[in-house]
């Protein structure tokens, strides 16, 4: 795994060496074999799955996942589902006026997604401590589960305003799954397509998918659609491999943000 940027590559090598000492060489091997798509010429194992940030080899790829397929993530998923009504009620009591900035994304032009609004409880592994105090159910669940179940790169309220369409795009990393906990879903045509399958959020169950498959979402109703969006490391990664990825997390976030800035995006 190299970027071609000498300073960054030296840091990658140093972190990998420290990770090998802590978790063992086997835990580092698959992570070291990952391809940074933004810097290397990608060779897709599956043409329908194209991570824009990093591809980690050897992981099962499917557009949608069931709770039962998620292994060690299942307990965390069940906890969020059990807390859904409380989470929705707590969020209704907070000020969402800060939701005016679209989500930074490598493969979607910001001007195309002005109606996709977000309020972050975690961003780049950093908690919004004050905001989390306003949503005690989310705080309790995030305090309960560690990185092997819940990734903290991002966890946020994701709202689609009426008439919003997020165009087809690919997500960043196949080492993570994306999870949507439905909070407020209007009747009518609001859904998400991942690869060739389209699903809605009306059931109240967590919608789990791999966003490195081509996907899009829309809300063609007259009301907001709101979900809690969170990430989890792929359940086939070992706990030790997750530990390695967590060691790389600060560097990964910094390089990702620098790349966004180079594209004129981000803050």
């Amino acid at each position: 795994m190299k970027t071609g940027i000498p300073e960054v590559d030296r840091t990658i090598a140093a972190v990998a060496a420290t990770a090998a000492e802590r978790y063992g060489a086997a835990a580092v091997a698959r992570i070291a074999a990952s391809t940074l798509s933004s810097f290397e010429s990608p060779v897709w194992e599956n043409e329908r799955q194209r991570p824009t940030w990093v591809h980690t080899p050897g992981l099962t790829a499917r557009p949608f996942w069931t709770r039962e397929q998620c292994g060690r993530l299942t307990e965390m998923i069940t906890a969020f589902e059990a807390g859904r009504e409380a989470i929705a009620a707590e969020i209704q009591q907070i000020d969402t006026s800060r939701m005016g900035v679209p989500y930074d994304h490598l493969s979607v032009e910001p001007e195309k997604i002005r109606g996709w609004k977000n309020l972050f409880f975690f961003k780049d592994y950093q908690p919004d401590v004050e905001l989390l105090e306003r949503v005690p159910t989310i705080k309790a669940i995030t305090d309960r589960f560690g990185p092997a179940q819940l990734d903290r790169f991002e966890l946020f309220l994701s709202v689609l305003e009426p008439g919003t369409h997020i165009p087809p795009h690919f997500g960043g990393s196949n080492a993570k799954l994306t999870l949507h906990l439905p909070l407020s879903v209007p009747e009518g045509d609001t859904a998400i397509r991942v690869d060739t399958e389209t699903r809605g959020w009306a059931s109240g169950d967590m919608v789990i998918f791999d966003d490195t498959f081509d996907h899009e979402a829309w809300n063609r109703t007259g009301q907001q659609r709101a979900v809690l969006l969170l990430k989890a490391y792929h359940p086939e990664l070992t706990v030790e491999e997750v530990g390695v990825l967590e060691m790389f997390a600060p560097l990964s976030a910094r390089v990702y943000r620098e790349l966004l800035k180079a594209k004129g995006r981000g803050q």
Side-chain angles (χ1 to χ4, degrees):
M1 182 169 60
K2 293 184 177 181
T3 67
I5 303 171
E7 178 187 357
V8 174
D9 288 341
R10 284 193 296 270
T11 305
I12 288 174
V15 173
T18 303
E21 292 179 1
R22 182 176 302 178
Y23 295 106
V28 176
R30 175 154 47 187
I31 311 307
S34 298
T35 301
L36 284 161
S37 300
S38 297
F39 299 100
E40 302 178 20
S41 298
V43 178
W44 309 112
E45 293 181 6
N46 183 340
E47 282 292 325
R48 290 151 43 208
Q49 183 190 34
R50 302 185 181 188
T52 60
W53 180 233
V54 60
H55 178 267
T56 301
L59 298 174
T60 295
R62 58 172 69 93
F64 283 102
W65 290 64
T66 67
R67 185 191 303 108
E68 293 71 25
Q69 291 169 332
C70 287
R72 65 170 178 270
L73 310 182
T74 302
E75 185 180 4
M76 177 269 294
I77 292 167
T78 301
F80 272 109
E81 289 177 337
R84 183 175 68 86
E85 291 186 8
I87 291 170
E90 290 164 5
I91 286 176
Q92 284 184 338
Q93 301 304 311
I94 64 177
D95 178 11
T96 58
S97 63
R98 291 190 284 164
M99 298 181 65
V101 178
Y103 174 56
D104 298 327
H105 206 293
L106 285 174
S107 60
V108 181
E109 294 290 341
E111 289 301 323
K112 295 182 179 180
I113 52 173
R114 290 294 174 187
W116 181 19
K117 296 184 178 178
N118 308 281
L119 184 65
F120 284 83
F121 302 101
F122 283 84
K123 186 174 184 179
D124 289 359
Y125 307 98
Q126 300 301 312
D128 186 322
V129 176
E130 181 180 353
L131 188 57
L132 282 167
E133 292 295 334
R134 305 288 299 278
V135 285
T137 304
I138 294 177
K139 184 178 186 303
I141 296 173
T142 57
D143 285 347
R144 176 181 170 189
F145 293 99
Q149 293 85 25
L150 179 62
D151 173 53
R152 286 164 174 76
F153 178 69
E154 55 194 5
L155 191 160
F156 58 94
L157 174 65
S158 173
V159 170
L160 290 187
E161 297 286 2
T164 298
H165 176 210
I166 302 174
H169 64 286
F170 297 92
S173 171
N174 71 319
K176 299 181 182 183
L177 299 181
T178 301
L179 301 89
H180 284 181
L181 180 69
L183 299 177
S184 177
V185 182
E187 293 184 2
D189 187 10
T190 180
I192 182 169
R193 176 192 61 79
V194 184
D195 196 29
T196 60
E197 185 176 352
T198 299
R199 296 187 183 182
W201 297 272
S203 70
D205 293 338
M206 194 82 85
V207 176
I208 309 160
F209 62 99
D210 183 337
D211 73 357
T212 59
F213 284 88
D214 177 66
H215 64 289
E216 61 182 321
W218 58 87
N219 178 15
R220 299 180 181 129
T221 78
Q223 298 175 286
Q224 289 183 338
R225 182 237 64 180
V227 304
L228 186 70
L229 190 154
L230 51 140
K231 294 278 191 173
Y233 287 110
H234 195 292
E236 291 177 356
L237 292 166
T238 67
V239 173
E240 292 76 17
E241 286 174 324
V242 169
V244 174
L245 286 168
E246 286 287 297
M247 290 183 68
F248 275 106
L251 176 65
S252 180
R254 179 168 63 84
V255 175
Y256 185 84
R257 294 300 167 194
E258 289 299 322
L259 187 60
L260 279 169
K261 289 179 181 178
K263 290 178 173 287
R265 306 177 194 173
Q267 298 178 354

